[in-house]
Amino acid sequence: MKEILTVDALGHVLCHDVTQIIKGVKKDAVFRKGHVITKEDIPVLLRAGKDHIYVWEKDEHMLHEDEAAKILYSLCENKYMHPSKVKEGKIEVLADRSGLLKVDRERLNLLNGLGEMMIASRHGNFPVKAGERIAGTRIIPLVIEKEKMERAKKVCEGKPLFELKPFLKKKAGIVTTGNEVYHGRIKDTFTPVIEEKLAEYDVEIIGREVTDDNHERITGCILKLLRQGAEMILCTGGMSVDPDDRTPLAIKNTGADLITYGAPVLPGAMFLLAYYEGRVPIMGLPGCVMYAKRTVFDLILPRIMAGEKLGAEDITVLGEGGLCLSCPVCTFPNCGFGKGGCR
C-alpha cells in the first residue's frame, strides 16, 4: 500500500476505514476498507479531514475483492438464482423461487480449501423459499492474485456448485389403516396431519381410503388409488413390528420395489419407502408422524416433491443428524435435525 493525496485518489482502493466524528451527532465510518474511491467521494474525504489516505497499489496481476466476489458468485449461479449487490466485498446468492437446494459438497470443500476465498451455503437437501439466501461469497483479503481465482474456476469447471430443483405438482393418495379407525372406535387424527404437511407443496389429494388391518384390503386400496392416477401414496398406521401391523406386507404385495423398511432417524425409525413400477413412491408413515412436530417425513417429503428418486444410501446417511432433540420451541429447519446426511 502507499500514501497518496486524497485529490489524486480517484479509482484507488482504501486500505483502512475512514471515520468521521461530528460532536453530538455521530461517530461512524464514512467509507469502509476496500472501498473504491469515486469522484463524489473526494470532497467527503476532505471534509472528514483526510488530505492523505492509504491505498492499495494497482497491480495487473491482482483483483479487488468486489471483482473476486463476482467470480465466486459465477461459480455458484444456476437457474432460479440471482446475486445480491456487492457489499463490503461480499455477494449473496438468492433464490428466485421455492425449491430443493442441492449442494456439490465435494467441490465446495475443494474451493474452500484453496485459501483466501470462501463460499458459505445452507445445507443441501432442504427446502428454500423464494427470496431466501442460498449462499454468500467473498475473498478474505482486500485483493487477491488473479491466478488464485483461475484455480477456483478450474475446481468448479463443468457445472455450478448449487442447484435449486423446483417442486413439482403431484397427485397424492392417502391410505389410513387400523381397525380402530375403520370401525369408528376413534377419530382419525393422522390424515389431517398429512394433509397439513402436503399443503406446504403443490399437491392435489385425489383420494382417501380407510381400511382395517387386513393386508389384502390395504393392498387393494393402494392399487385403487394408483389406478386413479396417484403419483404418490401415503400409508398411515400399522408400521410397527407388532404381528397385527400389516401395512409393510400390504405395500410389498403391490409389487412395489422396497427401498427401505427402517430409517436411522428419531422420530421415524419405522419409516418405509418403496417405488411402484420404479417411479411412484409409496411411503409407510409410522405413528410418530401424527404426534411429533418434525420427523423423518419432513426430511423425505421435500426430496420427493422435487422429483428425486431416493435409494437406500440416501436413507442410510441420515443417521448423523437424524436425532431430533424435540426442543421446547421448534426452529426446524434452522436446527441440526437432518443436517448430517447431505451428500
Side-chain angles (χ1 to χ4, degrees), residues 34 36 64-71 86 88-91 142:
V36 180
H64 179 256
E65 61 178 353
D66 290 353
E67 298 172 291
K70 291 176 183 177
I71 292 174
V86 185
E88 296 177 352
K90 179 175 69 176
I91 295 180
L142 281 174

Side-chain angles (χ1 to χ4, degrees), residues 26-259:
K26 71 173 182 178
K27 176 184 178 181
D28 196 9
V30 182
F31 301 107
R32 296 289 183 186
K33 180 174 64 174
H35 177 72
V36 180
I37 299 168
T38 66
K39 181 180 178 181
E40 292 75 19
D41 296 334
I42 292 174
V44 179
L45 288 164
L46 293 171
R47 285 197 297 271
K50 299 298 181 182
D51 293 319
H52 298 80
I53 55 174
Y54 287 92
V55 297
W56 288 103
E57 293 191 72
K58 293 184 178 179
D59 186 333
E60 63 179 13
H61 301 294
M62 305 293 286
L63 287 173
H64 179 256
E65 61 178 353
D66 290 353
E67 298 172 291
K70 291 176 183 177
I71 292 174
L72 291 175
Y73 170 78
S74 72
L75 305 180
C76 302
E77 184 181 30
N78 208 331
K79 291 171 62 178
Y80 315 122
M81 302 174 192
H82 69 275
S84 68
K85 292 182 179 179
V86 185
K87 184 178 180 182
E88 296 177 352
K90 179 175 69 176
I91 295 180
E92 294 181 332
V93 186
L94 306 173
D96 290 332
R97 62 178 298 171
S98 298
L100 182 79
L101 177 63
K102 303 297 290 186
V103 178
D104 190 324
R105 174 186 281 183
E106 182 177 350
R107 291 190 301 140
L108 178 63
N109 289 342
L110 285 173
L111 183 140
N112 283 328
L114 293 176
E116 296 193 331
M117 65 187 75
M118 55 76 63
I119 297 175
S121 79
R122 298 168 67 139
H123 275 275
N125 289 337
F126 276 80
V128 174
K129 295 180 180 179
E132 289 185 341
R133 293 180 293 172
I134 292 173
T137 74
R138 72 169 304 150
I139 61 168
I140 308 305
L142 281 174
V143 293
I144 192 169
E145 292 92 337
K146 290 182 179 179
E147 183 272 332
K148 289 186 178 178
M149 299 312 300
E150 290 301 318
R151 287 165 57 193
K153 291 179 185 179
K154 189 171 182 180
V155 164
C156 299
E157 194 172 27
K159 68 173 185 176
L161 292 173
F162 305 117
E163 181 183 5
L164 191 58
K165 302 182 75 169
F167 294 124
L168 306 176
K169 179 178 176 62
K170 284 186 175 288
K171 297 177 180 179
I174 300 175
V175 178
T176 303
T177 71
N179 292 333
E180 66 279 20
V181 175
Y182 181 72
H183 293 293
R185 297 168 190 153
I186 65 169
K187 182 180 179 181
D188 174 21
T189 56
F190 208 146
T191 301
V193 173
I194 303 306
E195 292 174 337
E196 183 179 352
K197 290 186 180 292
L198 293 180
E200 298 179 15
Y201 301 92
D202 192 3
V203 177
E204 177 189 357
I205 299 174
I206 63 169
R208 299 169 180 81
E209 297 290 327
V210 180
T211 177
D212 59 12
D213 289 318
N214 181 292
H215 69 86
E216 293 178 344
R217 276 193 281 271
I218 298 172
T219 299
C221 289
I222 295 172
L223 292 174
K224 177 183 177 181
L225 291 168
L226 289 168
R227 288 193 296 269
Q228 292 175 353
E231 299 165 308
M232 174 171 59
I233 300 290
L234 303 165
C235 299
T236 71
M239 290 304 302
S240 78
V241 293
D242 292 344
D244 56 351
D245 282 341
R246 307 292 179 83
T247 303
L249 174 62
I251 294 173
K252 179 182 177 182
N253 288 344
T254 65
D257 298 323
L258 182 68
I259 302 301

Side-chain angles (χ1 to χ4, degrees), residues 283-303:
M283 285 174 273
L285 303 181
C288 63
V289 176
M290 175 174 58
Y291 61 80
K293 182 71 174 177
R294 297 295 179 179
T295 68
V296 65
F297 188 45
D298 297 286
L299 305 181
I300 300 299
L301 181 59
R303 301 184 68 177

